[in-house]
Amino acid sequence: GAVVSQHPSRVICKSGTSVKIECRSLDFQATTMFWYRQFPKQSLMLMATSNEGSKATYEQGVEKDKFLINHASLTLSTLTVTSAHPEDSSFYICSASLQNYGYTFGSGTRLTVV
Amino acid sequence: DQQVKQNSPSLSVQEGRISILNCDYTNSMFDYFLWYKKYPAEGPTFLISISSIKDKNEDGRFTVFLNKSAKHLSLHIVPSQPGDSAVYFCAASASGNTPLVFGKGTRLSVIA
């Protein structure tokens, strides 16, 4: 089946530094990648939609200059959290849409900013 | 404004009994619904889905029912097993290739 590999699974970084999260589609081409964030005991909230070769579309309230999304190829999308702060600590998950209404998810990245 | 609502944050069921998880939605443009199972610090695992042209879809122990007029769907798990204990998310989509909208989840505990 369609698999999205997400790395790293967990990362701890110092406040003010940047962190890059990668999502790779292993056996299919991901034209569109969705990025979600989940705070404890909350829902998965959509942050942005990225389409290969074009600029990402960000949801209201998500700073595009802080959460940089790059989808330069059909198999790789990255999310970079720039100048991270403790309030950015969360669980980040990518998801690719498949044909026939399917969706596949990465395994998620637990980011802790200290 | 929550478009997908799971009003029960938790549910406890005895092993062997039926688990019923409920989900309501407000957006009449949603035409595809999915249920996911999730463990902490892991990505969601797809369970079962249903298109708006159907009112029921069954896969093994899992059955999803959709009531379009009430904008309500439910997931039935029978018989429930301890391994089913997890957080279950309801999600909806307005059409292909659009992002899923998730509910807040229901934590199911199946007691042996």
PDB file of all heavy atoms in Angstrom, chain B residues 71-97:
ATOM      1  N   LYS B  71     -27.022  14.285   9.662  1.00  0.00           N
ATOM      2  CA  LYS B  71     -25.597  14.623   9.642  1.00  0.00           C
ATOM      3  C   LYS B  71     -24.888  13.915  10.800  1.00  0.00           C
ATOM      4  O   LYS B  71     -24.182  14.529  11.621  1.00  0.00           O
ATOM      5  CB  LYS B  71     -25.381  16.137   9.717  1.00  0.00           C
ATOM      6  CG  LYS B  71     -25.835  16.901   8.476  1.00  0.00           C
ATOM      7  CD  LYS B  71     -25.344  18.334   8.515  1.00  0.00           C
ATOM      8  CE  LYS B  71     -25.709  19.092   7.258  1.00  0.00           C
ATOM      9  NZ  LYS B  71     -27.157  19.323   7.128  1.00  0.00           N
ATOM     10  N   HIS B  72     -25.087  12.634  10.827  1.00  0.00           N
ATOM     11  CA  HIS B  72     -24.570  11.829  11.926  1.00  0.00           C
ATOM     12  C   HIS B  72     -24.010  10.520  11.397  1.00  0.00           C
ATOM     13  O   HIS B  72     -24.590   9.909  10.496  1.00  0.00           O
ATOM     14  CB  HIS B  72     -25.705  11.540  12.919  1.00  0.00           C
ATOM     15  CG  HIS B  72     -25.305  10.647  14.041  1.00  0.00           C
ATOM     16  ND1 HIS B  72     -24.686  11.116  15.177  1.00  0.00           N
ATOM     17  CD2 HIS B  72     -25.412   9.298  14.202  1.00  0.00           C
ATOM     18  CE1 HIS B  72     -24.439  10.099  15.996  1.00  0.00           C
ATOM     19  NE2 HIS B  72     -24.875   8.984  15.425  1.00  0.00           N
ATOM     20  N   LEU B  73     -22.889  10.122  11.945  1.00  0.00           N
ATOM     21  CA  LEU B  73     -22.382   8.795  11.632  1.00  0.00           C
ATOM     22  C   LEU B  73     -21.898   8.124  12.905  1.00  0.00           C
ATOM     23  O   LEU B  73     -21.637   8.789  13.921  1.00  0.00           O
ATOM     24  CB  LEU B  73     -21.284   8.820  10.562  1.00  0.00           C
ATOM     25  CG  LEU B  73     -19.973   9.524  10.827  1.00  0.00           C
ATOM     26  CD1 LEU B  73     -18.881   8.882   9.966  1.00  0.00           C
ATOM     27  CD2 LEU B  73     -20.062  10.992  10.450  1.00  0.00           C
ATOM     28  N   SER B  74     -21.846   6.828  12.848  1.00  0.00           N
ATOM     29  CA  SER B  74     -21.413   6.080  14.019  1.00  0.00           C
ATOM     30  C   SER B  74     -20.558   4.898  13.578  1.00  0.00           C
ATOM     31  O   SER B  74     -20.712   4.370  12.476  1.00  0.00           O
ATOM     32  CB  SER B  74     -22.611   5.598  14.842  1.00  0.00           C
ATOM     33  OG  SER B  74     -23.434   4.750  14.085  1.00  0.00           O
ATOM     34  N   LEU B  75     -19.662   4.530  14.463  1.00  0.00           N
ATOM     35  CA  LEU B  75     -18.809   3.367  14.249  1.00  0.00           C
ATOM     36  C   LEU B  75     -19.184   2.320  15.288  1.00  0.00           C
ATOM     37  O   LEU B  75     -19.196   2.615  16.491  1.00  0.00           O
ATOM     38  CB  LEU B  75     -17.336   3.750  14.408  1.00  0.00           C
ATOM     39  CG  LEU B  75     -16.334   2.595  14.376  1.00  0.00           C
ATOM     40  CD1 LEU B  75     -16.295   1.965  12.976  1.00  0.00           C
ATOM     41  CD2 LEU B  75     -14.930   3.071  14.768  1.00  0.00           C
ATOM     42  N   HIS B  76     -19.505   1.125  14.823  1.00  0.00           N
ATOM     43  CA  HIS B  76     -19.821   0.026  15.704  1.00  0.00           C
ATOM     44  C   HIS B  76     -18.698  -0.995  15.651  1.00  0.00           C
ATOM     45  O   HIS B  76     -18.267  -1.396  14.549  1.00  0.00           O
ATOM     46  CB  HIS B  76     -21.143  -0.645  15.285  1.00  0.00           C
ATOM     47  CG  HIS B  76     -22.339   0.227  15.475  1.00  0.00           C
ATOM     48  ND1 HIS B  76     -23.588  -0.301  15.755  1.00  0.00           N
ATOM     49  CD2 HIS B  76     -22.500   1.570  15.442  1.00  0.00           C
ATOM     50  CE1 HIS B  76     -24.456   0.688  15.874  1.00  0.00           C
ATOM     51  NE2 HIS B  76     -23.820   1.834  15.691  1.00  0.00           N
ATOM     52  N   ILE B  77     -18.251  -1.402  16.803  1.00  0.00           N
ATOM     53  CA  ILE B  77     -17.219  -2.432  16.891  1.00  0.00           C
ATOM     54  C   ILE B  77     -17.815  -3.582  17.703  1.00  0.00           C
ATOM     55  O   ILE B  77     -18.192  -3.416  18.865  1.00  0.00           O
ATOM     56  CB  ILE B  77     -15.947  -1.925  17.609  1.00  0.00           C
ATOM     57  CG1 ILE B  77     -15.430  -0.643  16.947  1.00  0.00           C
ATOM     58  CG2 ILE B  77     -14.858  -2.994  17.580  1.00  0.00           C
ATOM     59  CD1 ILE B  77     -14.283   0.015  17.713  1.00  0.00           C
ATOM     60  N   VAL B  78     -17.919  -4.738  17.034  1.00  0.00           N
ATOM     61  CA  VAL B  78     -18.474  -5.867  17.767  1.00  0.00           C
ATOM     62  C   VAL B  78     -17.877  -7.186  17.267  1.00  0.00           C
ATOM     63  O   VAL B  78     -17.807  -7.400  16.050  1.00  0.00           O
ATOM     64  CB  VAL B  78     -20.024  -5.873  17.660  1.00  0.00           C
ATOM     65  CG1 VAL B  78     -20.459  -5.896  16.189  1.00  0.00           C
ATOM     66  CG2 VAL B  78     -20.644  -7.036  18.396  1.00  0.00           C
ATOM     67  N   PRO B  79     -17.411  -8.066  18.153  1.00  0.00           N
ATOM     68  CA  PRO B  79     -17.281  -7.827  19.577  1.00  0.00           C
ATOM     69  C   PRO B  79     -16.051  -6.969  19.889  1.00  0.00           C
ATOM     70  O   PRO B  79     -15.037  -7.068  19.196  1.00  0.00           O
ATOM     71  CB  PRO B  79     -17.105  -9.243  20.134  1.00  0.00           C
ATOM     72  CG  PRO B  79     -16.410  -9.975  19.029  1.00  0.00           C
ATOM     73  CD  PRO B  79     -16.947  -9.399  17.741  1.00  0.00           C
ATOM     74  N   SER B  80     -16.124  -6.171  20.915  1.00  0.00           N
ATOM     75  CA  SER B  80     -14.994  -5.334  21.303  1.00  0.00           C
ATOM     76  C   SER B  80     -13.909  -6.191  21.947  1.00  0.00           C
ATOM     77  O   SER B  80     -14.202  -7.145  22.682  1.00  0.00           O
ATOM     78  CB  SER B  80     -15.445  -4.251  22.291  1.00  0.00           C
ATOM     79  OG  SER B  80     -16.459  -3.456  21.719  1.00  0.00           O
ATOM     80  N   GLN B  81     -12.670  -5.819  21.673  1.00  0.00           N
ATOM     81  CA  GLN B  81     -11.534  -6.554  22.212  1.00  0.00           C
ATOM     82  C   GLN B  81     -10.609  -5.571  22.936  1.00  0.00           C
ATOM     83  O   GLN B  81     -10.551  -4.398  22.569  1.00  0.00           O
ATOM     84  CB  GLN B  81     -10.760  -7.236  21.078  1.00  0.00           C
ATOM     85  CG  GLN B  81     -11.589  -8.240  20.292  1.00  0.00           C
ATOM     86  CD  GLN B  81     -10.851  -8.765  19.076  1.00  0.00           C
ATOM     87  OE1 GLN B  81      -9.763  -8.294  18.727  1.00  0.00           O
ATOM     88  NE2 GLN B  81     -11.454  -9.750  18.414  1.00  0.00           N
ATOM     89  N   PRO B  82      -9.856  -6.042  23.915  1.00  0.00           N
ATOM     90  CA  PRO B  82      -8.938  -5.130  24.633  1.00  0.00           C
ATOM     91  C   PRO B  82      -7.985  -4.397  23.695  1.00  0.00           C
ATOM     92  O   PRO B  82      -7.632  -3.245  23.937  1.00  0.00           O
ATOM     93  CB  PRO B  82      -8.199  -6.073  25.585  1.00  0.00           C
ATOM     94  CG  PRO B  82      -9.187  -7.163  25.861  1.00  0.00           C
ATOM     95  CD  PRO B  82      -9.907  -7.369  24.552  1.00  0.00           C
ATOM     96  N   GLY B  83      -7.586  -5.045  22.618  1.00  0.00           N
ATOM     97  CA  GLY B  83      -6.686  -4.403  21.644  1.00  0.00           C
ATOM     98  C   GLY B  83      -7.319  -3.257  20.891  1.00  0.00           C
ATOM     99  O   GLY B  83      -6.620  -2.508  20.199  1.00  0.00           O
ATOM    100  N   ASP B  84      -8.629  -3.106  21.032  1.00  0.00           N
ATOM    101  CA  ASP B  84      -9.307  -1.986  20.377  1.00  0.00           C
ATOM    102  C   ASP B  84      -9.143  -0.691  21.181  1.00  0.00           C
ATOM    103  O   ASP B  84      -9.507   0.384  20.693  1.00  0.00           O
ATOM    104  CB  ASP B  84     -10.805  -2.275  20.225  1.00  0.00           C
ATOM    105  CG  ASP B  84     -11.085  -3.446  19.300  1.00  0.00           C
ATOM    106  OD1 ASP B  84     -10.304  -3.662  18.351  1.00  0.00           O
ATOM    107  OD2 ASP B  84     -12.094  -4.156  19.541  1.00  0.00           O
ATOM    108  N   SER B  85      -8.628  -0.788  22.370  1.00  0.00           N
ATOM    109  CA  SER B  85      -8.463   0.398  23.221  1.00  0.00           C
ATOM    110  C   SER B  85      -7.502   1.375  22.552  1.00  0.00           C
ATOM    111  O   SER B  85      -6.346   1.047  22.285  1.00  0.00           O
ATOM    112  CB  SER B  85      -7.928  -0.001  24.598  1.00  0.00           C
ATOM    113  OG  SER B  85      -8.845  -0.860  25.269  1.00  0.00           O
ATOM    114  N   ALA B  86      -8.001   2.566  22.278  1.00  0.00           N
ATOM    115  CA  ALA B  86      -7.229   3.600  21.572  1.00  0.00           C
ATOM    116  C   ALA B  86      -8.118   4.833  21.478  1.00  0.00           C
ATOM    117  O   ALA B  86      -9.250   4.836  21.962  1.00  0.00           O
ATOM    118  CB  ALA B  86      -6.829   3.132  20.180  1.00  0.00           C
ATOM    119  N   VAL B  87      -7.608   5.861  20.833  1.00  0.00           N
ATOM    120  CA  VAL B  87      -8.428   7.032  20.535  1.00  0.00           C
ATOM    121  C   VAL B  87      -8.928   6.903  19.099  1.00  0.00           C
ATOM    122  O   VAL B  87      -8.156   6.607  18.188  1.00  0.00           O
ATOM    123  CB  VAL B  87      -7.636   8.346  20.703  1.00  0.00           C
ATOM    124  CG1 VAL B  87      -8.510   9.546  20.327  1.00  0.00           C
ATOM    125  CG2 VAL B  87      -7.150   8.482  22.146  1.00  0.00           C
ATOM    126  N   TYR B  88     -10.210   7.100  18.909  1.00  0.00           N
ATOM    127  CA  TYR B  88     -10.825   6.969  17.596  1.00  0.00           C
ATOM    128  C   TYR B  88     -11.234   8.350  17.092  1.00  0.00           C
ATOM    129  O   TYR B  88     -11.932   9.096  17.776  1.00  0.00           O
ATOM    130  CB  TYR B  88     -12.043   6.049  17.661  1.00  0.00           C
ATOM    131  CG  TYR B  88     -11.647   4.603  17.849  1.00  0.00           C
ATOM    132  CD1 TYR B  88     -11.259   4.137  19.104  1.00  0.00           C
ATOM    133  CD2 TYR B  88     -11.632   3.718  16.775  1.00  0.00           C
ATOM    134  CE1 TYR B  88     -10.869   2.826  19.284  1.00  0.00           C
ATOM    135  CE2 TYR B  88     -11.247   2.403  16.949  1.00  0.00           C
ATOM    136  CZ  TYR B  88     -10.863   1.965  18.204  1.00  0.00           C
ATOM    137  OH  TYR B  88     -10.461   0.656  18.378  1.00  0.00           O
ATOM    138  N   PHE B  89     -10.780   8.664  15.884  1.00  0.00           N
ATOM    139  CA  PHE B  89     -11.105   9.946  15.279  1.00  0.00           C
ATOM    140  C   PHE B  89     -12.052   9.740  14.106  1.00  0.00           C
ATOM    141  O   PHE B  89     -11.846   8.863  13.253  1.00  0.00           O
ATOM    142  CB  PHE B  89      -9.841  10.638  14.765  1.00  0.00           C
ATOM    143  CG  PHE B  89      -8.988  11.220  15.845  1.00  0.00           C
ATOM    144  CD1 PHE B  89      -7.940  10.498  16.384  1.00  0.00           C
ATOM    145  CD2 PHE B  89      -9.226  12.502  16.311  1.00  0.00           C
ATOM    146  CE1 PHE B  89      -7.149  11.025  17.384  1.00  0.00           C
ATOM    147  CE2 PHE B  89      -8.434  13.046  17.312  1.00  0.00           C
ATOM    148  CZ  PHE B  89      -7.392  12.310  17.852  1.00  0.00           C
ATOM    149  N   CYS B  90     -13.051  10.557  14.056  1.00  0.00           N
ATOM    150  CA  CYS B  90     -13.935  10.667  12.910  1.00  0.00           C
ATOM    151  C   CYS B  90     -13.375  11.777  12.018  1.00  0.00           C
ATOM    152  O   CYS B  90     -12.904  12.805  12.532  1.00  0.00           O
ATOM    153  CB  CYS B  90     -15.334  11.018  13.420  1.00  0.00           C
ATOM    154  SG  CYS B  90     -16.531  11.486  12.183  1.00  0.00           S
ATOM    155  N   ALA B  91     -13.394  11.579  10.703  1.00  0.00           N
ATOM    156  CA  ALA B  91     -12.893  12.603   9.790  1.00  0.00           C
ATOM    157  C   ALA B  91     -13.812  12.690   8.579  1.00  0.00           C
ATOM    158  O   ALA B  91     -14.465  11.713   8.212  1.00  0.00           O
ATOM    159  CB  ALA B  91     -11.467  12.275   9.349  1.00  0.00           C
ATOM    160  N   ALA B  92     -13.851  13.860   7.979  1.00  0.00           N
ATOM    161  CA  ALA B  92     -14.729  14.077   6.822  1.00  0.00           C
ATOM    162  C   ALA B  92     -14.000  14.866   5.752  1.00  0.00           C
ATOM    163  O   ALA B  92     -13.101  15.665   6.043  1.00  0.00           O
ATOM    164  CB  ALA B  92     -15.994  14.812   7.263  1.00  0.00           C
ATOM    165  N   SER B  93     -14.433  14.649   4.520  1.00  0.00           N
ATOM    166  CA  SER B  93     -13.842  15.329   3.381  1.00  0.00           C
ATOM    167  C   SER B  93     -14.947  15.821   2.454  1.00  0.00           C
ATOM    168  O   SER B  93     -15.971  15.149   2.286  1.00  0.00           O
ATOM    169  CB  SER B  93     -12.925  14.370   2.625  1.00  0.00           C
ATOM    170  OG  SER B  93     -12.506  14.923   1.403  1.00  0.00           O
ATOM    171  N   ALA B  94     -14.705  16.999   1.832  1.00  0.00           N
ATOM    172  CA  ALA B  94     -15.727  17.566   0.955  1.00  0.00           C
ATOM    173  C   ALA B  94     -15.655  17.011  -0.462  1.00  0.00           C
ATOM    174  O   ALA B  94     -16.620  17.025  -1.185  1.00  0.00           O
ATOM    175  CB  ALA B  94     -15.602  19.085   0.938  1.00  0.00           C
ATOM    176  N   SER B  95     -14.499  16.556  -0.864  1.00  0.00           N
ATOM    177  CA  SER B  95     -14.347  15.931  -2.180  1.00  0.00           C
ATOM    178  C   SER B  95     -12.936  15.385  -2.250  1.00  0.00           C
ATOM    179  O   SER B  95     -12.130  15.643  -1.359  1.00  0.00           O
ATOM    180  CB  SER B  95     -14.604  16.921  -3.314  1.00  0.00           C
ATOM    181  OG  SER B  95     -13.622  17.920  -3.320  1.00  0.00           O
ATOM    182  N   GLY B  96     -12.646  14.662  -3.292  1.00  0.00           N
ATOM    183  CA  GLY B  96     -11.320  14.085  -3.396  1.00  0.00           C
ATOM    184  C   GLY B  96     -10.231  15.134  -3.393  1.00  0.00           C
ATOM    185  O   GLY B  96     -10.421  16.228  -3.887  1.00  0.00           O
ATOM    186  N   ASN B  97      -9.108  14.816  -2.775  1.00  0.00           N
ATOM    187  CA  ASN B  97      -7.927  15.672  -2.761  1.00  0.00           C
ATOM    188  C   ASN B  97      -8.070  16.914  -1.897  1.00  0.00           C
ATOM    189  O   ASN B  97      -7.285  17.845  -1.998  1.00  0.00           O
ATOM    190  CB  ASN B  97      -7.537  16.099  -4.184  1.00  0.00           C
ATOM    191  CG  ASN B  97      -6.042  16.289  -4.322  1.00  0.00           C
ATOM    192  OD1 ASN B  97      -5.276  15.552  -3.726  1.00  0.00           O
ATOM    193  ND2 ASN B  97      -5.643  17.274  -5.095  1.00  0.00           N
TER     194      ASN B  97
END
